[in-house]
C-alpha cells in the first residue's frame, strides 16, 4: 500500500508534468500561478533529494542539503514533505526587463543544471552581449540565486541598464563523498556558455560578445571561462564544437594558482594548509596526477599575450584567498604583456568584509569600477 507522503509526491509529479506539457504546447499559455510554480519547484527538488523514493526527504539522505533547508522542517522531525518544500523561496534579480528563469542548459544523469537569463532594461533590439556569472561558495556551496544578493544585484542591475544580458549559472557542487570535483564545476560553467552560444539566435544573444564575472570560487571559474579556449575542458557532447568569443572578465577575490601553495598564506608564516586540494583531487585520483590536475585548474597557466582583458579585485586582508593571487597574476601578465588589471581593496577581508577600518574603495565604488570595466570593453568591441 502506498503511504500518504508517497501518494502526495506522485500526485504532485503528475500535476507538474501536466503543467509543463500544457505550457509547452503553446507559447501563448498564461503564466503559471505562484502556487503552481512553487509546487513545480518542490516536485523537482523532491525528485533529486528523495533517494529512497518514499515521497519524503529524510535528513540522513543528504545531511548538507537538509541543513540548508532546516527552517522548512517546521515540526522538527528531520523529514521534509512536498508541502514543506513548497515554502522554499528562490531569490531572483528584480528587473524591469524580460527574464527566462530556471532554464535547463544541461542534464547529468537525473540532475538538471539550470541558469537564469535576464535581459536588458533598455529598448535595444539585440542580439545582446551577455555576462555569465559564476557564484562563489568554495565550489561546494552557493547557487545562481546569488546574483540577486547585495553587491552582485547592484552590479547586474546597472549592467542591465547598460544593455547587457546577464546569465547566472548553477553548476554541480563538490562533496566529500564524491564524485564531483572542481573540474566538474568549471566544465558545467563552460557548458552553460556553450548552451547560450549554441542557442544564441533563439535567445537573442551575441555569441561574439561573451563576458564573465565571478566571486571567490566563482572568480576562479570566471577566470577559467575567460582564459581557456571554447573547445577545452569538453563536457556535454550535445554542446561540443560550439563557438563563442570571450571579450573581458572580472574576478572578485578569486584564486589564480593552486600549484604555488604559498599564495594561500595570508602573511609570510609557513602555515599553509592545502585547503582546496581535496576539491581538485577525487579520493581515487592517482597521486602521480596531482600536479597536472592542480595546473589544469590554475587560470594563470592559460594566460597569454592575446588573452581577453581581466580585472582582478582583491582585499589586502583576505585570509581565504590572499591578495598574493592578484599580485602574482599581474606579475606574470606584465612578463607576457597580457591585459590584466588589479585593484587592491584596503582593509578588506573575504566578501569585502571590513577589517580594522573602513574598506577603501567602498563597496559602491567597487560596484562602479566593475560595471565601468565591462562598459569600456563593450564600447571598444562595438567600435
Amino acid at each position: 500500500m502506498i503511504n500518504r507522503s508517497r501518494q502526495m509526491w506522485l500526485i504532485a509529479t503528475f500535476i507538474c508534468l501536466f503543467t509543463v506539457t500544457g505550457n509547452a504546447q503553446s507559447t501563448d499559455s498564461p503564466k503559471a500561478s505562484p502556487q503552481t510554480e512553487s509546487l513545480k519547484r518542490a516536485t523537482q527538488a523532491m525528485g533529486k533529494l528523495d533517494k529512497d523514493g518514499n515521497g519524503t526527504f529524510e535528513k540522513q539522505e543528504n545531511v548538507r542539503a537538509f541543513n540548508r533547508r532546516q527552517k522548512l522542517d517546521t515540526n522538527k522531525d528531520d523529514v521534509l514533505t512536498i508541502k514543506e518544500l513548497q515554502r522554499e523561496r528562490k531569490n531572483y534579480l528584480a528587473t524591469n526587463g524580460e527574464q527566462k528563469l530556471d532554464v535547463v542548459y544541461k542534464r547529468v544523469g537525473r540532475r538538471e543544471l539550470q541558469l537564469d537569463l535576464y535581459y536588458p532594461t533598455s529598448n535595444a533590439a539585440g542580439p545582446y552581449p551577455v555576462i555569465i556569472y559564476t557564484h562563489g561558495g568554495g565550489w561546494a556551496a552557493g547557487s545562481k540565486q546569488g546574483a540577486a544578493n547585495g553587491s552582485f544585484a547592484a552590479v547586474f542591475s546597472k549592467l542591465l541598464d547598460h544593455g547587457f544580458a546577464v546569465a547566472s549559472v548553477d553548476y554541480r557542487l563538490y562533496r566529500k563523498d564524491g564524485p564531483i570535483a572542481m573540474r566538474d564545476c568549471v566544465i558545467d560553467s563552460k557548458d552553460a556558455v556553450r548552451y547560450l552560444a549554441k542557442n544564441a539566435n533563439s535567445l537573442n544573444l551575441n555569441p561574439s560578445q561573451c563576458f564573465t564575472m565571478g566571486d571567490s570560487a566563482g572568480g576562479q571559474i570566471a577566470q577559467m571561462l575567460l582564459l581557456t579556449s571554447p573547445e577545452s575542458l569538453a563536457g556535454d557532447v550535445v554542446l561540443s564544437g560550439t563557438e563563442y568569443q570571450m571579450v573581458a572578465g572580472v574576478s572578485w577575490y578569486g584564486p589564480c594558482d593552486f600549484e604555488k601553495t604559498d599564495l594561500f598564506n595570508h602573511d609570510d608564516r609557513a602555515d599553509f594548509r592545502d585547503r582546496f586540494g581535496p576539491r581538485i583531487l577525487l579520493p581515487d585520483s592517482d597521486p602521480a596526477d596531482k600536479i597536472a590536475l592542480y595546473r589544469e585548474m590554475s587560470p594563470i597557466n592559460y594566460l597569454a599575450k592575446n588573452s581577453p582583458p581581466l580585472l582582478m579585485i582583491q582585499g589586502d586582508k583576505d585570509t581565504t584567498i590572499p591578495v598574493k593571487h592578484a599580485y602574482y597574476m599581474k606579475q606574470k601578465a606584465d612578463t607576457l604583456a597580457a591585459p590584466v588589471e588589479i585593484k587592491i581593496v584596503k582593509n578588506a577581508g573575504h566578501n569585502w568584509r571590513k577589517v580594522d577600518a573602513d574598506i577603501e574603495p567602498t563597496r559602491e565604488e567597487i560596484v562602479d569600477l566593475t560595471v565601468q570595466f565591462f562598459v569600456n570593453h563593450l564600447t571598444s568591441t562595438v567600435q
Side-chain angles (χ1 to χ4, degrees), residues 296-358:
E296 183 186 45
M297 288 295 102
S298 297
I300 197 167
N301 292 325
Y302 303 93
L303 188 65
K305 182 177 182 178
N306 61 348
S307 293
L310 169 66
L311 171 62
M312 296 183 73
I313 312 181
Q314 308 264 153
D316 67 348
K317 297 183 179 179
D318 192 333
T319 58
T320 303
I321 306 296
V323 71
K324 292 180 180 182
H325 283 269
Y327 288 129
Y328 189 57
M329 182 67 100
K330 180 61 174 171
Q331 181 182 14
K332 180 168 183 179
D334 289 347
T335 301
L336 298 172
V340 173
E341 300 176 35
I342 64 172
K343 180 65 178 180
I344 309 305
V345 182
K346 297 178 181 178
N347 307 314
H350 210 55
N351 299 313
W352 309 138
R353 295 190 192 94
K354 181 175 74 171
V355 180
D356 299 328
D358 290 338

Side-chain angles (χ1 to χ4, degrees), residues 19-89:
T19 301
V20 172
T21 304
N23 286 344
Q25 291 175 347
S26 172
T27 57
D28 297 327
S29 299
K31 186 175 181 179
S33 68
Q35 292 79 10
T36 301
E37 288 295 330
S38 66
L39 177 59
K40 177 182 175 181
R41 289 196 299 269
T43 302
Q44 290 173 335
M46 186 65 80
K48 299 170 186 174
L49 299 168
D50 178 24
K51 302 302 182 184
D52 59 13
N54 69 345
T56 58
F57 172 38
E58 291 82 29
K59 184 174 183 176
Q60 65 267 22
E61 291 182 279
N62 187 330
V63 175
R64 178 179 290 177
F66 190 94
N67 287 341
R68 290 200 299 267
R69 299 168 173 84
Q70 188 79 52
K71 62 183 179 181
L72 303 176
D73 183 22
T74 51
N75 60 357
K76 308 301 180 185
D77 63 350
D78 289 343
V79 176
L80 290 177
T81 65
I82 279 283
K83 187 174 181 180
E84 287 174 317
L85 280 178
Q86 273 190 265
R87 289 195 287 270
E88 187 173 24
R89 294 288 181 265

Side-chain angles (χ1 to χ4, degrees), residues 102-374:
D102 301 326
V103 176
V104 176
Y105 70 85
K106 174 181 177 179
R107 289 177 174 83
V108 183
R110 294 175 58 194
R111 175 79 185 273
E112 291 184 340
L113 296 178
Q114 300 177 339
L115 59 82
D116 296 329
L117 182 57
Y118 302 94
Y119 286 92
T121 52
S122 66
N123 294 322
Y128 303 110
V130 58
I131 296 177
I132 295 90
Y133 169 64
T134 48
H135 65 81
W139 303 273
S143 76
K144 60 185 174 64
Q145 268 63 50
N149 296 331
S151 298
F152 305 110
V155 167
F156 297 131
S157 295
K158 291 188 176 187
L159 288 169
L160 291 171
D161 289 340
H162 280 286
F164 290 89
V166 173
S168 186
V169 175
D170 266 342
Y171 49 84
R172 287 172 292 168
L173 300 175
Y174 162 80
R175 290 171 52 182
K176 286 184 179 180
D177 54 355
I180 306 304
M182 187 185 298
R183 191 175 196 270
D184 299 297
C185 303
V186 174
I187 288 174
D188 289 346
S189 300
K190 291 200 67 156
D191 275 344
V193 183
R194 292 171 180 134
Y195 173 88
L196 294 169
K198 186 179 182 70
N199 296 279
N201 288 339
S202 61
L203 295 174
N204 200 15
L205 301 175
N206 187 341
S208 295
Q209 292 189 39
C210 295
F211 300 74
T212 185
M213 177 182 173
D215 62 296
S216 196
Q220 178 262 350
I221 296 174
Q223 292 175 60
M224 292 291 287
L225 296 184
L226 183 73
L227 300 175
T228 61
S229 62
E231 65 274 9
S232 66
L233 293 162
D236 192 331
V237 295
V238 175
L239 301 172
S240 65
T242 304
E243 293 293 326
Y244 60 86
Q245 182 177 342
M246 281 289 171
V247 177
V250 175
S251 168
W252 282 7
Y253 39 85
C256 72
D257 194 330
F258 297 99
E259 182 184 7
K260 190 173 175 59
T261 56
D262 62 348
L263 293 176
F264 289 92
N265 291 332
H266 174 58
D267 51 30
D268 293 330
R269 293 175 300 173
D271 59 356
F272 168 76
R273 291 181 299 115
D274 191 1
R275 296 182 56 203
F276 304 121
R279 302 179 191 195
I280 299 175
L281 306 173
L282 292 172
D284 59 352
S285 295
D286 187 334
D289 296 333
K290 176 179 177 178
I291 296 301
L293 291 170
Y294 276 41
R295 288 175 178 172
E296 183 186 45
M297 288 295 102
S298 297
I300 197 167
N301 292 325
Y302 303 93
L303 188 65
K305 182 177 182 178
N306 61 348
S307 293
L310 169 66
L311 171 62
M312 296 183 73
I313 312 181
Q314 308 264 153
D316 67 348
K317 297 183 179 179
D318 192 333
T319 58
T320 303
I321 306 296
V323 71
K324 292 180 180 182
H325 283 269
Y327 288 129
Y328 189 57
M329 182 67 100
K330 180 61 174 171
Q331 181 182 14
K332 180 168 183 179
D334 289 347
T335 301
L336 298 172
V340 173
E341 300 176 35
I342 64 172
K343 180 65 178 180
I344 309 305
V345 182
K346 297 178 181 178
N347 307 314
H350 210 55
N351 299 313
W352 309 138
R353 295 190 192 94
K354 181 175 74 171
V355 180
D356 299 328
D358 290 338
I359 68 171
E360 182 185 344
T362 65
R363 281 179 178 265
E364 293 75 15
E365 290 169 333
I366 293 169
V367 167
D368 290 340
L369 179 66
T370 301
V371 171
Q372 194 59 51
F373 180 82
F374 285 120

